[in-house]
């Protein structure tokens, strides 16, 4: 039995060598031969804009008021006069240069394979890995059905599906729905963006949200109007904590 196992391993290793020779690994970004699926040169180009930024509203409010270990009864935080419904936000990159270029390619130019690259960037981040263990569900920002059918995919959903397969946290695409057709946020000014998304999202399965710690995933954070509106709906549905995770912050 042991012989059989070691023979099998040997054959497998040989087979992998042959396959690597026939189908060499190439960099997902530049297409050149690479040991990993992003080459060192491209990795360096992205690393320049790597941020690992965390914004913690709860901590900020606590520090400001110089209070600790109290339960904030309201479900929002007043930050610069605005009601913010999420506790924390984490972003992997600054939305600049090569990062911006590839997010736009991924989102608007059908380069679906980049979902693997961005998921990889998230999953290999130890800080985010730790955070995943402390939350119950990850939810992608939904698209309205017509828009999704036109694009053929929801860029946020593809990434949360890959994250879910890692086993670190489960994703659920059925909890939240885009109920109202709205204009594309990037075409609007800050105040218009807020009005545009107001009541645009509905929590379909409240029981999955109640007393849960939830992560909302989106590709880019600009004014934050969309994720704030979703956080509000999740808090009303009974979520105890909401965290926002994005690839890049503008
Ligand atoms: Zn490369």
């Amino acid at each position: 039995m042991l012989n059989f196992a070691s023979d099998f391993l040997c054959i497998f290793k040989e087979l992998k060598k042959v396959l690597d020779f026939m189908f060499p690994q190439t960099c997902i970004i530049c297409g050149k031969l690479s040991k990993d699926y992003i080459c060192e040169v491209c990795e360096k180009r992205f690393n320049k804009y790597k941020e690992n930024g965390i914004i913690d509203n709860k901590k900020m409010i606590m520090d400001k008021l110089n209070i600790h270990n109290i339960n904030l009864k309201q479900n929002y935080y007043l930050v610069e006069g605005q009601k913010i419904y999420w506790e924390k936000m984490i972003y992997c990159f600054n939305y600049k240069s090569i990062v911006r270029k590839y997010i736009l390619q991924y989102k608007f130019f059908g380069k679906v394979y980049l979902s693997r690259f961005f998921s990889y960037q998230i999953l290999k981040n130890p800080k985010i890995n730790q955070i995943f263990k402390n939350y119950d569900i990850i939810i992608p920002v939904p698209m309205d059905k017509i828009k999704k059918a036109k694009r053929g995919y929801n860029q946020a959903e593809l990434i949360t599906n890959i994250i879910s397969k890692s086993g670190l946290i489960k994703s659920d695409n059925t909890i939240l729905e885009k109920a109202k057709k709205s204009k594309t946020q990037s075409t609007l000014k800050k105040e218009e963006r807020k009005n545009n998304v107001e009541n645009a999202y509905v929590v379909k399965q409240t029981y999955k949200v109640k007393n849960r710690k939830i992560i909302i995933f989106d590709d880019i954070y600009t004014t934050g109007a969309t994720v704030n509106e979703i956080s509000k709906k999740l808090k009303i549905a009974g979520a105890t904590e909401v965290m926002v995770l994005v690839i890049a912050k503008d």
Side-chain angles (χ1 to χ4, degrees):
M1 194 63 193
L2 194 69
N3 266 346
F4 174 74
S6 66
D7 284 354
F8 181 75
L9 199 66
C10 250
I11 294 168
F12 179 76
K13 277 182 184 165
E14 287 307 312
L15 190 66
K16 191 171 180 311
K17 273 187 208 163
V18 175
L19 285 172
D20 284 347
F21 178 73
M22 285 168 69
F23 308 102
Q25 173 102 6
T26 52
C27 170
I28 200 163
I29 299 297
C30 68
K32 289 181 184 157
L33 283 178
S34 163
K35 269 188 271 173
D36 217 332
Y37 73 89
I38 176 162
C39 72
E40 281 174 22
V41 179
C42 290
E43 180 103 63
K44 268 189 194 151
R45 283 162 76 205
F46 272 94
N47 281 350
K48 261 200 224 165
Y49 302 98
K50 208 164 239 182
E51 193 55 56
N52 289 332
I54 297 185
I55 297 172
D56 191 333
N57 284 326
K58 196 172 183 175
K59 191 176 177 306
M60 201 172 68
I61 301 292
M62 297 283 208
D63 288 350
K64 218 184 203 170
L65 301 173
N66 200 19
I67 43 175
H68 299 279
N69 300 322
I70 64 147
N71 221 336
L72 292 174
K73 285 245 165 66
Q74 65 220 30
N75 58 8
Y76 60 84
Y77 303 88
L78 268 183
V79 180
E80 290 166 359
Q82 288 211 41
K83 287 180 184 175
I84 304 293
Y85 290 85
W86 44 264
E87 268 73 25
K88 275 187 205 166
M89 201 245 294
I90 188 160
Y91 52 104
C92 307
F93 293 99
N94 281 315
Y95 188 57
K96 281 181 186 159
S97 182
I98 188 169
V99 176
R100 185 172 185 274
K101 179 182 163 188
Y102 280 93
I103 289 181
L104 293 177
Q105 296 256 323
Y106 173 47
K107 199 168 168 175
F108 298 113
F109 296 94
K111 302 211 169 165
V112 178
Y113 63 88
L114 288 171
S115 60
R116 278 177 57 216
F117 169 69
F118 290 121
S119 310
Y120 175 69
Q121 293 297 320
I122 293 165
L123 286 169
K124 74 172 186 177
N125 184 317
K127 232 188 240 175
I128 300 178
N129 262 258
Q130 200 50 46
I131 285 167
F132 282 160
K133 288 179 198 156
N134 294 325
Y135 283 77
D136 299 304
I137 321 162
I138 187 164
I139 303 177
V141 169
M143 280 166 83
D144 73 63
K145 281 175 191 149
I146 298 167
K147 204 166 163 187
K148 188 177 167 185
K150 258 189 200 167
R151 188 175 295 174
Y153 59 99
N154 171 351
Q155 70 280 356
E157 197 178 291
L158 293 183
I159 292 176
T160 53
N161 286 347
I162 296 175
I163 291 172
S164 192
K165 277 183 195 149
S166 76
L168 290 170
I169 188 166
K170 264 192 225 157
S171 75
D172 196 319
N173 312 330
T174 60
I175 293 174
L176 204 64
E177 201 177 270
K178 181 97 187 275
K180 174 178 108 172
K181 203 166 177 271
S182 50
K183 290 178 186 159
T184 302
Q185 287 289 81
S186 55
T187 61
L188 303 171
K189 291 187 185 124
K190 193 177 174 184
E191 205 42 44
E192 292 171 331
R193 287 185 185 210
K194 205 179 145 201
N195 297 332
N196 189 39
V197 292
E198 203 155 22
N199 296 320
Y201 298 91
V202 175
V203 178
K204 299 268 287 179
Q205 293 154 313
T206 318
Y207 71 96
K208 285 187 178 174
V209 170
K210 205 168 180 194
N211 299 324
R212 292 293 161 95
K213 291 172 80 177
I214 295 170
I215 300 178
I216 304 169
F217 177 74
D218 206 359
D219 45 8
I220 319 156
Y221 184 95
T222 310
T223 66
T226 301
V227 287
N228 199 38
E229 175 66 21
I230 292 174
S231 302
K232 182 181 174 181
K233 288 286 149 68
L234 292 172
K235 283 283 176 74
I236 292 170
T240 50
E241 213 172 301
V242 178
M243 163 150 169
V244 176
L245 171 67
V246 290
I247 301 170
K249 184 177 170 294
D250 202 358

